[in-house]
Amino acid sequence: MVLDEPGKPLRETELPDPEPGDGQVLVEVSACGVCRTDLHVVDGELPKPKLPLVVGHQIVGRVLGGGERFSPGDRIGIPWLGWTDGECRYCGSGRENLCDNARFTGYTLDGGYAELAVADDRYCVPVPDAYADAEAAPLLCAGLIGYRALRMAGDGERLGLYGFGASAHIVAQVARHEGRRVFAFTRAGDEAAQSLALELGAEWAGDSAGTAPEPLDAAILFAPVGELVPAALRASAKGAVIVCAGIHMSDLPSFPYELLWEERVIRSVANLTRGDAEEFMALAPQVPVRTEIEVFPLEAANDALARLRAGEVRGAAVLMPPRSWVASTKR
Ligand SMILES: [Zn+2]
Ligand SMILES: [Zn+2]
């Protein structure tokens, strides 16, 4: 499924099989998660995507050949961070997520809305056995960038999650595992998201414009809505950390300084490091994180994106190419 131009639907087509270059593995895609970032790319909200482009950066598949780290048949995940230069000041200080020349799967590199993909094997991760292919796909971005956002939110006990979709539904489980209390903020009246949050251990779920029964020590904003920043500050306790976890957000409105006063912090989280990926993939089966997924055949990628845009996906949307889709419906 190819993006020819932002703002247009993806086009189903046959492409030549990708050839793995030096250090790259060729992977038969079993499942690819649909991320809000995919929507931002397709809608033209992120600058300079590769075009034409295969989007998708939560890829689970089996190695067919190439590279050095894996053997044919190994099941691996291909995440968002696809390549770094290893030599800029950020790479040199353990912050490859901020690399000046980073390349990203499904944005500046072709991704996983396809039957085959190639990837630099240094950035791929083994997928824990506990998960079926489609269940594992959302771990690769919703999970591990959500996990990075949770780390950046500090140790606060009372955690607010704004936008209870693919990422929040995973982060809530990790936070509960760490003994935190979770408060879920959704669009007004989004009962499906609120009930999912309560099922996954949130002690309260309500409208994102309001406040929880107690002030928050930390909040993570997954919804790309700038107005939520002052809303989260209003709902927060002294010293709270507000983390903006998305790659794109509408403009932040101005707000009185008193909302930020008392050592509240606003920060963003960008991308991931290989360390984040390894840490989270080891942690997920221990929690154990269970993913709530809605599976679509690959050729229905535009429908999956439309449902995500409309806030109609419960948990995470996942695409499966024809071969895996047929196998999964027979199971
Ligand atoms: Zn770098
Ligand atoms: Zn993503």
Side-chain angles (χ1 to χ4, degrees):
M1 297 297 291
V2 171
L3 178 70
D4 293 308
E5 202 185 316
K8 292 207 168 152
L10 304 182
R11 175 173 56 88
E12 182 179 349
T13 187
E14 279 298 319
L15 296 175
D17 289 359
E19 302 259 348
D22 268 358
Q24 286 188 322
V25 272
L26 175 65
V27 170
E28 183 180 62
V29 178
S30 314
C32 184
V34 178
C35 177
R36 180 162 294 282
T37 297
D38 303 345
L39 263 187
H40 294 315
V41 172
V42 170
D43 290 346
E45 289 164 331
L46 298 181
K48 297 184 185 155
K50 170 191 176 292
L51 289 174
L53 172 70
V54 179
V55 297
H57 56 267
Q58 306 186 81
I59 305 167
V60 174
R62 281 172 186 73
V63 173
L64 294 174
E68 286 171 6
R69 274 185 71 202
F70 302 104
S71 307
D74 284 355
R75 187 170 72 144
I76 63 170
I78 306 175
W80 169 248
L81 185 73
W83 187 87
T84 57
D85 60 15
E87 51 194 32
C88 72
R89 63 188 300 128
Y90 300 101
C91 287
S93 55
R95 296 180 291 168
E96 65 181 1
N97 60 307
L98 301 177
C99 176
D100 282 333
N101 297 299
R103 296 177 196 158
F104 299 107
T105 310
Y107 177 33
T108 52
L109 299 166
D110 278 331
Y113 286 18
E115 294 170 276
L116 296 172
V118 293
D120 186 320
D121 68 2
R122 296 172 298 169
Y123 298 85
C124 299
V125 283
V127 173
D129 292 337
Y131 297 92
D133 295 338
E135 290 167 358
L139 299 177
L140 284 152
C141 180
L144 61 86
I145 292 188
Y147 174 70
R148 183 177 177 86
L150 182 62
R151 294 276 75 78
M152 298 296 166
D155 298 326
E157 187 201 357
R158 296 167 297 184
L159 175 71
L161 299 175
Y162 284 76
F164 206 87
S167 223
H169 99 284
I170 294 174
V171 171
Q173 298 173 60
V174 178
R176 292 292 300 130
H177 177 72
E178 293 176 343
R180 305 188 201 224
R181 299 166 60 197
V182 174
F183 300 83
F185 295 77
T186 72
R187 296 185 218 209
D190 188 346
E191 283 167 20
Q194 292 179 4
S195 71
L196 179 60
L198 296 172
E199 267 171 46
L200 294 175
E203 66 181 65
W204 173 91
D207 179 352
S208 58
T211 53
E214 288 184 46
L216 307 170
D217 302 307
I220 306 176
L221 277 52
F222 294 109
V225 180
E227 282 82 13
L228 291 177
V229 172
L233 286 169
R234 254 181 218 106
S236 70
K238 290 181 268 192
V241 181
I242 312 298
V243 180
C244 303
I247 193 170
H248 173 82
M249 194 177 225
S250 57
D251 286 356
L252 275 55
S254 79
F255 52 83
Y257 176 63
E258 65 179 271
L259 290 183
L260 186 62
W261 171 239
E262 294 168 328
E263 301 198 340
R264 291 174 178 84
V265 173
I266 304 170
R267 66 166 303 158
S268 65
V269 157
N271 313 317
L272 69 140
T273 66
R274 283 173 276 184
D276 295 329
E278 278 160 29
E279 231 176 278
F280 178 70
M281 292 308 248
L283 175 66
Q286 287 171 26
V287 170
V289 169
R290 133 185 118 70
T291 56
E292 179 87 19
I293 55 170
E294 192 172 332
V295 181
F296 298 79
L298 174 60
E299 61 272 25
N302 289 309
D303 298 338
L305 288 167
R307 284 181 58 87
L308 180 60
R309 192 183 284 109
E312 289 169 356
V313 176
R314 183 179 152 96
V318 176
L319 303 175
M320 292 185 94
R323 190 186 301 102
S324 308
W325 173 259
V326 169
S328 73
T329 51
K330 278 184 185 156
R331 200 169 51 202

